[in-house]
């Protein structure tokens, strides 16, 4: 199958990123595209042209037509490819026939830098020359880096110029090119605009095919195995009987009947039917759902229905000697040849005598390992395999093979050894070694301590020793001692005397690096994938996610992740990240303290990444509808239902998503509107935030809101998020708009949030005034905005800065709200004065305004530099003498508060300085503290070794600042000490 390379140096983006950058989906999904041209008839052309035009990749003409039969100019092709691939359009190119003032110049620069286009022998680009069909094949193969080849069957293939033949073969192999109705390619004809659009769309679809994890095929060529092919490597840990289901009729097979084997490239899964027989002509079903790639991406759910059919006679192909006691028999397909114990086998003869042997089948590779009871003598032997049948009971022709056996009298020896991690060592022997049960025969020691060894999966000569205790440390970089005695090969040659093999661990000093991305694939939206450059420990490290306001959303540890690809990929779910119900927004992710699995436990550098979360927030419907036309003798009623955001129009127009009925004892009973005669959708608002529905008299009682309840379900927003089923009642009997209890909060020095009992539709800042409890005005409001995420909340901006304690002298500040038509809910119901509870709750976090340190012998205090959001400060004390004492600390806060230093090793701090965790009062927002116990720079250097920030050059102190309303702000102080 053709595939895409990923090494093209000239691309501004990788091919895999093209689809994400252009948001193109397969052409079949765009039959209903809203972009259309009157001269493009419906069909495959239209789908491709409309899709690409909708994405801005190509354009029509000023008269509104596309002219699909016109030729494509070279400059037009340059623009289309540069736009589709998001190529870098900066820079210059010196074509004598292309002016920098030409609209196409930047696109020609882009495709030239990318190596897609070039000039002719005279150096000209020829922007107005027509593009031929064979030239189009070349540039698309070059642009998308397609590989692969397919034999050409075009009737006019002899007309393809020699330079173009490999490009045409590759384009055909990737499904980009097809012949005309007569089976010709017409290589020298000008390519039409419609054909070129179709080729571009097919190329983008091919990229998507490569990018999207999927099951490519399921095949059953015999009655013993089924092969499932994937287009990407599979994470073995995600394969089990719940993610790969095989069934026949109503019977789903289990682990007692099936075995799963993944190929070395991890792209083919073979299902072996261990105990199931008589499958000829039976139909079976395979369902793959929940399998993931080694990168943690989920494969699309796939279902296949196939039939077992074996009409091929098997063959005995070869016999290979492994050692004097073991041979391997190879067949063309799985056959009935196995024996778990040593048995007299009439089907296998050695020099005409029945073999006493046991046979281990490998149905995946059609290999049968025969272990004889006795060692074969040195020399030539004739091995005859007869009366062997496949699982359709077709008999193979008997076959004899002459093999040569070499005497083996040498015991196994160690060839190499390596440290895998702190408690695991891998040792490779010169030949297959004997086992007893799952353990290797013999005595094995690491650094004089005995351990049990097991064979590495898929090998017969490599021994794994894990659970080493105490774990290996940096001394292993110098030497590890491995001793062994009593180890045997499979024919019994034994290591009689203790052997010693000295080796050392590789000294890996490279710290891992990490990349982070939020998944945008349906079903995994806003899942976080961390991809490390090497294997890391799964129980060390953490992530911190902050929102656009730098507030911590969540902190998670390494052990919270789902790990894959040999512990190189960590996946955190959107639910864990609290991103499973959010509007599109930017977040900041901090990744820290992860370590690799080497002896040095190299720590990742603290990494900060900006992430863009996609829309996963469920839309909501306003709980009340309004009448836009009352019922009369001649007309049905019309009602308007509104939503908090733009909705998908097709779901808004689907009457089956609405029910009309009644509520009794909190239970809704009603009829779907698509089953109500006369009900219809009248209008969807231009902003897609409301819909008007006409209801016939028989289904609607305008005088009784209890008997005219609308149930809404099945609607989606533009991002595809599904609304929760909701009941909507008439707005006729609504009470006045009111502030909810405790709904007025000062959240910043110039910000007040007011929450009402319903979504607000109209607001004006003149309605609000901040005043003291004696009604003396303090400040007006400069701006009033309805919160887009929570329309019940209005965010006010004050003209003057609010005092941090919300007091003027001893008088509390309040918010006055005037009853006015300038403040109404979404149904037009106004706010009334007497509904007000105007007390302002204090949620303003205190801040450190200034911070300075007085050093002994220095006339002027040293000032701490505080960052803009007042969450961190830095000061450099490395220049003072080691014995210079810190005499006092001066702190100014925004209000009266208490400061408490929090340190993970507070007990050790106390041992060094005599200072424990003590809350310091900052009275009236300003205080000076004497520093006792003679703290010097040398003391701070000692503390820097144990503060846990990973650097001996800095001392990191974390603290909390709490005001009298219990609002808490975190602050970090980093002191440079050397």
């Amino acid at each position: 199958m053709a595939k895409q390379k990923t090494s093209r140096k000239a691309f501004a983006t990788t091919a895999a990123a093209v689809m994400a950058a252009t948001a193109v989906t397969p052409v079949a999904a765009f039959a209903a595209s809203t972009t259309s041209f009157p001269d493009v008839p419906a069909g495959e052309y239209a789908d491709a042209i409309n899709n690409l035009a909708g994405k801005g990749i190509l354009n029509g003409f000023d008269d509104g037509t596309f002219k699909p039969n016109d030729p494509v100019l070279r400059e037009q092709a340059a623009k289309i490819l540069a736009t589709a691939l998001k190529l870098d359009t900066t820079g210059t190119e010196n074509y004598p026939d292309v002016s920098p003032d030409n609209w196409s110049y930047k696109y020609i620069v882009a495709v030239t830098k990318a190596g897609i286009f070039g000039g002719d022998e005279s150096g000209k680009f020829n922007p107005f020359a027509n593009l031929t069909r064979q030239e189009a094949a070349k540039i698309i193969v070059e642009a998308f880096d397609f590989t692969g080849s397919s034999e050409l069957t075009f009737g006019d293939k002899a007309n393809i110029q020699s330079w173009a033949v490999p490009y045409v073969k590759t384009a055909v192999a990737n499904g980009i090119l097809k012949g005309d109705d007569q089976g010709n390619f017409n290589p020298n004809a000008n390519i039409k605009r419609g054909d070129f659009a179709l080729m571009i769309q097919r190329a983008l679809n091919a990229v998507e095919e490569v990018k999207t994890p999927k099951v490519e095929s399921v095949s059953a060529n015999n009655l013993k195995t089924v092969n499932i092919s994937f287009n990407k490597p599979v994470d073995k840990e995600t394969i089990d009987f719940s993610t790969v289901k095989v069934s026949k009729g109503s019977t789903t097979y289990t682990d007692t009947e099936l075995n799963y084997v993944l190929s070395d490239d991890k792209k083919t899964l073979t299902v072996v039917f261990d105990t199931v027989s008589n499958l000829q002509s039976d139909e079976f079903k395979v369902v793959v759902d929940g399998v993931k790639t080694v990168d943690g991406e989920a494969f699309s759910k796939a279902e296949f229905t196939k039939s077992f059919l074996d009409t091929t006679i098997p063959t005995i192909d070869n016999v290979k000697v492994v050692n004097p006691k073991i041979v391997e028999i190879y067949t063309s397909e799985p056959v009935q040849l196995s024996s778990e114990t040593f048995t007299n086998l009439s089907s296998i003869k050695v020099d005409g005598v029945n073999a006493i042997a046991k046979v281990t089948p490998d149905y995946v590779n059609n290999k049968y390992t025969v272990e004889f009871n006795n060692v074969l003598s040195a020399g030539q032997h004739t091995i005859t395999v007869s009366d062997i049948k496949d699982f359709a009971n077709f008999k193979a022709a008997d076959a004899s093979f002459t093999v040569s056996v070499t005497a083996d009298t040498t015991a196994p020896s160690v060839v190499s050894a390596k440290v895998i991690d702190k408690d695991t060592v891998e040792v490779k022997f010169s030949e297959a070694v004997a086992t007893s049960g799952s353990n290797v025969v013999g005595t094995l020691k690491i650094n004089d301590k005995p351990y049990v060894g097991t064979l590495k999966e898929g090998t017969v000569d490599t021994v794994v020793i894990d659970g080493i205790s105490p774990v290996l440390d940096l001394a292993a970089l110098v030497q590890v001692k491995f001793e062994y005695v009593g180890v045997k090969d499979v024919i019994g040659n034994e290591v009689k005397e203790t052997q010693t093999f000295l080796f050392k661990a590789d000294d890996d000093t490279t710290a891992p690096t990490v990349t982070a991305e939020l998944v945008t694939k349906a079903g995994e939206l806003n899942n976080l994938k961390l991809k490390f450059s090497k294997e890391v420990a799964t129980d060390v490290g953490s992530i911190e996610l902050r929102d656009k306001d730098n507030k911590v959303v969540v902190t998670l540890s390494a052990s919270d992740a789902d790990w894959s690809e040999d512990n190189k990929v960590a996946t955190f779910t959107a639910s864990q990240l609290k991103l499973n119900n959010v509007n599109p927004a930017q977040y900041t992710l901090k990744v820290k303290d992860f370590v690799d699995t080497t002896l040095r436990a190299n720590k990742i550098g603290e990494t900060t990444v900006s992430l863009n979360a996609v829309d996963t927030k469920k839309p909501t419907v306003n709980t009340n509808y309004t009448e836009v036309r009352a019922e009369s003798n001649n007309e049905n009623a019309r009602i308007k239902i509104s939503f908090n955001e733009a909705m998908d129009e097709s779901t808004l127009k689907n009457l089956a998503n609405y029910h009309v009925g009644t509520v009794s004892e909190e239970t809704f009973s009603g009829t779907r509107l698509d089953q109500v005669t006369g009900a219809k959708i009248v209008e969807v608002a231009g902003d897609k935030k409301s819909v008007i529905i006409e209801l016939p008299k028989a289904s609607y009682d305008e005088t009784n809101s209890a008997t005219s309840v609308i149930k809404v379900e099945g609607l989606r927003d533009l991002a595809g998020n599904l609304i929760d089923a909701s009941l909507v009642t008439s707005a006729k009997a609504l009470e006045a708009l009111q502030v909810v209890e405790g709904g007025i909060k000062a959240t910043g020095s110039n910000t007040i949030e007011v929450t009402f009992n319903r979504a607000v539709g109209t607001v004006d800042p003149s309605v609000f005034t901040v005043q003291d409890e004696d009604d003396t005005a303090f400040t007006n409001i400069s701006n009033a905005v309805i919160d887009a995420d929570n329309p019940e909340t209005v965010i006010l901006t004050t003209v003057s800065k609010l005092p941090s304690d919300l007091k003027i002298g001893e008088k509390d500040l309040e918010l006055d709200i005037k009853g006015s038509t300038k403040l109404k809910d979404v149904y037009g119901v106004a706010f009334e004065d007497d509904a007000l509870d105007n007390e302002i709750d204090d949620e303003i976090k205190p801040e450190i305004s200034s911070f300075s340190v007085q050093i002994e012998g220095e006339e002027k205090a040293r000032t701490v530099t505080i960052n803009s959001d007042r969450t961190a400060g830095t000061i450099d004390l490395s220049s003072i003498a080691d014995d210079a004492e810190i005499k006092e600390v001066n702190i100014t806060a925004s209000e009266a508060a208490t400061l408490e230093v929090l340190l993970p090793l507070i007990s050790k701090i106390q041992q060094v300085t005599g200072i424990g965790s003590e809350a310091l009062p900052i009275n009236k927002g300003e205080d000076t503290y004497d520093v006792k116990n003679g703290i010097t720079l040398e003391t701070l250097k000692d503390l820097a070794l144990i503060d846990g920030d990973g650097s001996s050059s800095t001392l990191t102190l974390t603290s909390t600042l709490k005001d009298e309303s219990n609002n808490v702000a975190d602050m970090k102080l980093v002191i440079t000490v050397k």
Side-chain angles (χ1 to χ4, degrees):
M1 179 178 178
K3 60 182 180 180
Q4 256 192 304
K5 297 180 287 185
T6 57
S7 60
R8 188 178 186 86
K9 293 183 288 185
F11 270 158
T13 58
T14 64
V18 169
M19 301 305 294
T22 58
V24 175
T25 27
V27 85
F30 282 83
S33 173
T34 56
T35 304
S36 62
F37 299 94
D39 57 341
V40 180
E44 191 177 19
Y45 264 10
D47 293 341
I49 292 168
N50 294 341
N51 177 32
L52 298 177
K55 301 300 179 184
I57 294 174
L58 47 74
N59 301 313
F61 292 90
D62 291 341
D63 63 359
T65 63
F66 183 75
K67 305 187 191 309
N69 295 317
D70 279 8
V72 175
L73 303 182
R74 283 170 58 85
E75 68 173 355
Q76 293 171 339
K79 187 261 184 185
I80 292 169
L81 286 172
T83 306
L85 294 172
K86 295 291 184 181
L87 297 181
D88 180 9
T89 57
T90 61
T92 60
E93 288 291 340
N94 190 25
Y95 288 116
D97 57 343
V98 183
S99 168
D101 297 329
N102 191 325
W103 69 266
S104 63
Y105 178 76
K106 64 180 181 179
Y107 303 114
I108 292 171
V109 169
V111 294
T112 301
K113 288 195 301 182
I116 299 169
F117 268 109
D120 60 16
E121 294 84 351
S122 63
K124 294 182 178 180
F125 184 80
N126 302 308
F128 309 117
N130 294 332
L131 194 71
T132 67
R133 288 175 60 82
Q134 61 188 358
E135 288 171 342
K138 177 182 184 296
I139 65 170
I140 288 180
V141 167
E142 289 284 349
F144 289 89
D145 234 7
F146 287 124
T147 62
S149 183
S150 178
E151 287 305 311
L152 301 180
T153 59
F154 300 125
D156 60 347
K157 64 182 180 181
N159 296 335
I160 302 174
Q161 296 183 38
S162 58
W163 63 264
V165 169
Y167 296 107
V168 175
K169 285 184 174 182
T170 298
V172 170
N174 285 273
I176 310 303
L177 281 180
K178 297 176 182 179
D180 61 17
D181 293 341
Q182 289 74 45
N184 293 323
F185 174 53
N186 304 309
N188 297 300
N190 295 331
I191 190 162
K192 299 175 182 178
R193 284 169 56 81
D195 286 333
F196 193 65
L198 195 56
M199 289 174 67
I200 294 293
Q201 182 64 66
R202 287 172 179 165
L204 292 171
N205 288 350
V207 173
E208 180 68 10
E209 287 289 306
V210 172
K211 174 185 162 187
T212 303
K214 66 175 184 176
V215 181
E216 292 190 320
S217 64
V218 171
S219 60
N221 299 322
N222 57 71
L223 305 188
K224 191 65 176 177
T225 62
V226 170
N227 286 331
I228 305 173
S229 297
F230 299 83
N231 70 332
K232 289 192 172 186
V234 173
D235 179 4
K236 183 179 179 180
E237 299 301 317
T238 65
I239 296 173
D240 59 33
F241 301 94
S242 65
T243 59
V244 181
K245 296 179 180 178
V246 182
S247 60
K248 186 179 74 170
S250 61
T251 302
T252 299
Y253 297 117
T254 66
D255 56 354
T256 62
E257 298 153 307
L258 303 180
N259 184 33
Y260 293 155
V261 181
L262 191 62
S263 61
D264 290 341
D265 68 359
K266 300 182 181 180
K267 286 185 166 185
T268 301
L269 177 67
T270 300
V271 182
V272 180
F273 288 76
D274 282 339
T275 62
V276 183
S277 58
N278 301 319
L279 295 173
Q280 186 76 291
S281 301
D282 285 349
E283 188 176 79
F284 68 95
K285 184 177 182 180
V286 175
V287 179
V288 180
D289 188 13
V291 176
K292 294 184 178 181
T293 69
V294 292
D295 292 329
E297 295 181 89
F299 284 92
S300 301
K301 181 179 179 180
E303 296 186 14
F304 295 84
T305 300
K306 299 284 183 178
S307 294
F308 289 104
L309 183 64
D310 185 357
T311 60
T312 305
I313 296 175
T315 58
I316 312 300
D317 295 334
N318 193 22
V319 174
K320 176 184 175 182
V321 175
V322 178
N323 57 53
K325 197 175 182 183
I326 296 177
V327 299
E328 294 171 343
I329 299 173
Y330 290 85
T331 63
S332 61
E333 63 172 293
V335 296
Q336 301 178 50
L337 179 60
S338 67
S339 176
E340 294 183 358
T341 61
F342 287 104
T343 305
N344 188 317
L345 300 174
S346 61
S347 57
I348 302 175
K349 292 182 171 61
V350 180
D351 300 329
V353 179
N354 289 358
I356 299 176
K358 57 183 178 181
V359 183
T360 303
D362 176 356
Y363 298 117
V364 176
N365 297 299
N366 299 324
K367 179 178 73 174
Y368 301 83
T369 301
V370 181
E371 181 181 349
F372 299 110
N373 188 43
N374 296 310
V375 175
L376 297 179
S377 60
Q380 288 192 330
H381 296 272
T382 299
I383 297 181
T384 302
V385 184
S386 61
D387 199 27
I388 298 297
K389 297 179 180 180
D390 67 11
F391 289 89
N393 286 320
F394 294 123
K395 182 179 178 298
D398 298 347
S400 294
F401 300 87
T402 299
V403 297
S404 181
V405 176
T406 303
D408 180 0
T409 59
T410 305
S413 60
V414 174
V415 174
S416 62
K418 61 181 179 180
V419 173
I420 303 300
D421 53 41
K422 291 181 178 182
D423 65 353
T424 307
V425 164
E426 191 175 283
V427 180
K428 183 177 178 61
F429 283 87
S430 57
E431 58 181 310
V433 295
T435 58
S436 176
S438 60
N439 297 334
V440 173
V441 172
T443 300
L444 312 177
K445 292 184 178 181
I446 296 290
N447 294 338
D448 301 319
K449 188 172 180 179
Y451 292 95
V452 172
T454 58
L455 287 179
K456 182 180 179 180
E457 184 178 2
T459 71
V460 294
D461 58 3
T462 304
V463 178
V464 175
I465 301 169
D466 56 16
I468 297 173
S469 180
V471 295
L472 299 173
D473 56 20
L474 295 181
L477 298 174
V478 179
Q479 178 178 288
V480 180
K481 182 169 69 172
F482 174 62
E483 297 172 283
Y484 60 102
V485 67
V487 176
K488 298 178 182 180
D489 62 18
V490 294
I491 64 173
N493 295 311
E494 181 179 353
V495 179
K496 297 291 187 181
E497 297 181 357
T498 299
Q499 302 294 311
T500 300
F501 186 85
L502 301 178
F503 65 103
K504 61 182 179 180
D506 294 334
D507 189 7
D508 184 347
T509 60
T510 303
T513 58
V514 67
T515 60
E517 63 176 350
L518 290 177
V519 180
T520 58
K521 181 179 178 182
E524 301 176 42
L525 292 177
N526 290 343
N527 284 359
L528 171 68
K529 289 194 180 302
L530 300 181
K531 297 183 179 181
F532 295 89
S533 58
K534 59 198 302 192
E535 182 179 357
V536 297
T538 61
D539 58 352
V540 179
S542 65
I543 64 169
E544 179 185 83
L545 189 69
R546 290 178 176 262
D547 64 16
K548 59 182 177 57
D549 298 321
N550 204 35
K551 295 179 181 178
V552 176
V553 177
V554 68
T555 300
L556 298 169
S557 65
S559 56
D560 294 321
D562 179 24
W563 290 89
S564 60
E565 199 184 352
D566 299 326
N567 297 335
K568 292 181 184 177
V569 177
T571 301
F572 296 89
T573 66
S575 178
Q576 290 175 304
L577 298 165
K578 299 181 180 179
L579 298 180
N580 57 325
N581 189 26
V582 296
N583 286 318
Q586 188 173 72
Y587 293 82
T588 301
L589 178 74
K590 184 179 291 184
V591 184
K592 59 182 181 179
D593 297 334
F594 285 85
V595 298
D596 62 23
T597 56
T598 66
L599 298 182
R600 289 193 181 274
N602 299 301
K603 182 187 291 188
I604 190 172
E606 187 171 294
T607 304
T608 301
V609 182
S610 179
L611 300 173
N612 291 306
V614 298
D615 182 1
T616 57
K617 194 173 185 67
K618 292 182 178 181
T620 59
V621 61
N622 291 339
T623 55
N624 301 98
Y625 61 80
T626 55
E627 287 187 353
V628 295
R629 187 175 78 186
E631 178 186 325
S632 67
N633 291 332
N634 299 318
E635 295 181 315
N636 292 328
R638 290 181 177 179
I639 64 172
K640 180 179 180 181
I641 300 175
S642 302
F643 303 86
N644 71 320
E645 61 177 300
M647 303 295 288
D648 174 68
E649 186 169 0
S650 64
T651 62
L652 280 178
K653 288 183 174 180
N654 187 351
L655 278 174
N657 291 332
Y658 308 91
H659 303 242
V660 62
T662 61
V663 174
S664 176
E665 297 181 354
E666 300 184 355
T667 300
F668 175 82
S669 177
T671 305
R672 259 182 19 205
L673 289 190
D674 62 332
Q675 298 171 355
V676 175
T677 302
K680 64 180 181 180
I681 303 295
V682 176
E683 178 186 331
V684 172
D687 62 4
K688 308 296 189 294
K689 289 187 176 182
S690 63
V691 60
I692 295 176
I693 302 174
E694 183 168 311
L695 297 173
K697 298 177 182 179
S699 65
Y700 177 74
D701 180 2
E702 65 172 344
T703 64
N704 187 347
S705 61
T707 60
S708 300
V709 177
I710 306 297
K711 181 180 179 181
V712 175
E713 62 183 0
L715 299 176
R716 295 183 182 274
D717 63 15
L718 297 181
N721 299 305
L722 184 67
I723 199 169
D724 286 332
S726 306
L727 298 182
V728 186
T729 57
S730 173
K732 280 187 172 182
L734 287 178
E735 60 183 9
L737 184 65
Q738 300 175 11
V739 175
V740 301
E741 184 176 354
I744 304 177
K745 300 174 182 178
T747 57
S749 57
N750 287 90
T751 305
I752 298 174
E753 295 184 4
V754 186
T755 301
F756 295 87
N757 57 337
R758 286 189 301 279
V760 177
T762 303
V763 66
D764 188 280
S766 63
V767 173
F768 305 92
T769 305
V770 178
Q771 60 187 30
D772 67 18
E773 57 193 54
D774 292 334
D775 298 338
T776 301
F778 172 73
T779 182
N780 291 326
I781 304 301
S782 62
N783 196 23
V785 178
I786 300 170
D787 189 337
D789 293 336
N790 301 290
E792 298 85 5
T793 299
V794 173
I795 301 173
L796 308 179
T797 303
T798 62
V799 174
S800 302
K801 186 175 181 179
L802 298 171
S804 56
D805 59 359
L806 297 180
K807 290 179 181 291
I808 299 298
E810 297 299 322
K811 297 178 181 179
D812 293 330
L813 289 180
E814 299 174 345
L815 182 68
D816 179 50
I817 308 178
K818 299 178 178 63
S820 170
T821 57
K822 294 181 179 180
L823 177 57
K824 296 188 291 187
D825 65 16
V826 292
Y827 311 107
V829 179
F831 178 84
E832 296 181 2
D833 280 326
D834 58 2
L836 175 64
D837 173 8
N838 58 5
E839 180 181 343
I840 305 176
D841 290 339
D842 180 5
E843 292 192 2
I844 303 175
K845 290 184 178 181
E847 297 178 349
I848 295 290
S849 307
S850 66
F851 196 144
S852 62
V853 177
Q854 184 67 55
I855 307 298
E856 179 185 22
E858 294 186 355
E859 183 176 340
K860 187 177 179 182
R862 296 195 178 210
T863 301
V864 173
T865 301
I866 301 175
N867 67 354
S868 59
D869 63 5
R870 327 305 289 179
T871 61
T874 58
I875 187 170
D876 189 345
L877 299 182
S878 60
S879 61
I880 69 175
D882 280 359
D883 59 354
E885 292 188 2
I886 300 171
K887 303 302 292 181
E888 65 181 25
V889 174
N890 304 290
I891 302 175
T892 302
S894 58
E895 59 182 300
T898 56
L899 178 71
E900 184 170 6
V901 176
L902 305 173
L903 286 167
L905 304 175
I906 194 66
S907 60
K908 293 187 178 180
I909 299 294
Q910 191 166 10
Q911 292 172 17
V912 174
T913 66
I915 297 176
S917 180
E918 180 181 357
L920 304 177
I922 306 176
N923 297 310
K924 297 183 180 179
E926 185 173 359
D927 257 307
T928 299
Y929 303 93
D930 293 333
V931 178
K932 301 177 182 178
N933 303 312
I935 293 181
T936 64
L937 178 63
E938 186 172 10
T939 307
L940 299 182
K941 287 180 177 180
D942 292 338
L943 296 178
L945 298 174
I946 58 175
D947 66 346
D949 71 354
S951 172
S952 61
S953 300
T954 57
L955 170 61
T956 300
L957 306 176
T958 57
S959 64
T960 60
L961 188 65
K962 183 188 296 186
D963 67 13
E964 294 174 347
S965 298
N966 289 321
N967 297 307
V968 177
D970 297 325
M971 185 171 180
K972 178 171 68 175
L973 175 62
V974 179
I975 305 171
T976 301
V977 295
K978 64 179 179 180

